Amino acid sequence: MDIVNRIADQLNSLFPNMPIYREQQSGGFKEPSFFIHRITSTVKPELFQRQNRSYHYQLVYFPQTDHPEADMEQMEENLLDRFLSLDEFATIRIREFEEVDGALTMTFMVNLRAYPEDLDTKMENYDPTITHKEA
């Protein structure tokens, strides 16, 4: 499960052709663009080995250089209105925005419940035609 790829896919569906990075770039980021970074993860155990997992992310938007303030304001409104969930996966929660060093920074949480993967083979040797004799 690669949540960063799911975030990138959702952003790409909302803002096609905008570069999306998940690694620092030695030559700097092309503008406008997004950078996705996982901040922290927390796990709360539940019954039957289930877990409530919270993943906290930072999304940085590097605005157009010719009118950055207006661009960041418009992008914040777009993200508030449209970046609400990761399709067929999870809801995006606790969205917070601030301007940091000339870029729009959004922090948010993706919360989900995880279940243990059952790798046991079930009914592999079952043959319904065999009857058991009583002792």
Side-chain angles (χ1 to χ4, degrees), residues 13 32 35 42 57 61 64 78-79 85 90 115-116 119 133-134:
S13 73
F35 173 67
T42 57
Y57 290 91
Y61 174 67
Q64 297 177 16
N78 282 334
L79 291 168
S85 66
Y115 303 90
L119 300 175
K133 295 180 183 177
E134 293 186 29

Side-chain angles (χ1 to χ4, degrees), residues 107-123:
T107 55
F108 61 94
M109 180 181 76
V110 175
N111 186 264
L112 53 95
R113 294 187 65 172
Y115 303 90
E117 186 176 5
D118 187 1
L119 300 175
D120 292 338
T121 304
K122 306 287 189 246
M123 307 282 284

